[in-house]
Amino acid sequence: QQQVKQSPQSLIVQKGGISIINCAYENTAFDYFPWYQQFPGKGPALLIAIRPDVSEKKEGRFTISFNKSAKQFSLHIMDSQPGDSATYFCAASIRTGGSYIPTFGRGTSLIVHP
Amino acid sequence: KAGVTQTPRYLIKTRGQQVTLSCSPISGHRSVSWYQQTPGQGLQFLFEYFSETQRNKGNFPGRFSGRQFSNSRSEMNVSTLELGDSALYLCASSGDPGTGGGQYFGPGTRLTVT
């Protein structure tokens, strides 16, 4: 049972374009939504995160849009660069036992062509 | 601060053997979580330790176990290895897991079971 559905599985964008990755969840108990970036041979790195009381959060070229009623959230990468080529994971976290435990989407492989 | 370190980086084992992986969190972080990453199942949560106590556990068989030491370093053990245990095992530490502040991942240990 996949609790967090991520799409697309792969994405090819030209340099300077906008990359958009979407995620959807079912469990309304999730209340923290981070995005991670993973390069080959490395562990995931936290990119940006949002809580459900906010509809949008922007950090540099990265923006999360959050739609609580639709139970969907997305990552927008503006002015995409070849260095952004990586795998991106969305996650939905629930607080349990005193910690936030994430459930990850399956990942999106982004390739930005120069 | 030094990042999360994991040893060894690569490991080859035979079915039926057991293996122990090690993780040193970021200095000052008391929460350590372990994840299994495979192409088929993606990133899956194994367990989380906080101040030497297992606080959360994912849906994995009892062959997967872990522990945390007083200096927050953590080990995970997999007994009676199966071919399906071949994966990248990631460790992540968090300084304040109760606020959802995100986790910092190590580079992972690539385990191959033959």
Side-chain angles (χ1 to χ4, degrees), chain B residues 45-110:
Chain B
F45 171 73
L46 279 157
F47 31 68
E48 182 226 3
Y49 286 86
F50 184 86
S51 293
E52 302 179 64
T53 301
Q54 187 182 88
R55 280 216 300 208
N56 290 286
K57 188 177 188 303
N59 189 26
F60 277 81
R63 300 186 297 107
F64 293 81
S65 63
R67 59 177 175 169
Q68 186 180 33
F69 303 94
S70 59
N71 61 358
S72 292
R73 191 177 69 85
S74 178
E75 290 180 347
M76 70 163 281
N77 183 79
V78 187
S79 62
T80 318
L81 284 165
E82 301 177 358
L83 293 178
D85 296 333
S86 294
L88 181 67
Y89 289 89
L90 293 158
C91 165
S93 75
S94 177
D96 198 356
T99 62
Q103 298 179 318
Y104 296 85
F105 283 83
T109 293
R110 173 73 63 185

Side-chain angles (χ1 to χ4, degrees), chain A residues 29-101:
Chain A
F30 289 132
D31 63 354
Y32 179 70
F33 301 87
W35 284 87
Y36 288 86
Q37 178 190 57
Q38 185 176 26
F39 292 105
K42 305 282 189 181
L46 179 65
L47 199 57
I48 186 173
I50 198 168
R51 294 194 184 276
D53 54 345
V54 177
S55 62
E56 185 175 282
K57 183 175 182 180
K58 183 177 181 179
E59 289 184 2
R61 295 185 295 110
F62 300 91
T63 299
I64 299 179
S65 297
F66 188 85
N67 186 328
K68 188 174 181 178
S69 61
K71 292 185 284 187
Q72 295 175 348
F73 58 110
S74 60
L75 175 70
H76 294 234
I77 306 174
M78 311 299 288
D79 188 26
S80 298
Q81 300 296 312
D84 297 331
S85 298
T87 300
Y88 292 80
F89 294 92
C90 65
S93 300
I94 188 169
R95 185 179 167 118
T96 176
S99 298
Y100 277 89
I101 304 301

Side-chain angles (χ1 to χ4, degrees), chain B residues 12-30:
Chain B
I12 300 175
K13 289 287 188 179
T14 304
R15 267 184 308 175
Q17 289 185 315
Q18 73 166 13
V19 66
T20 298
L21 312 181
S22 181
C23 171
S24 292
I26 292 173
S27 178
H29 285 190
R30 291 191 294 164

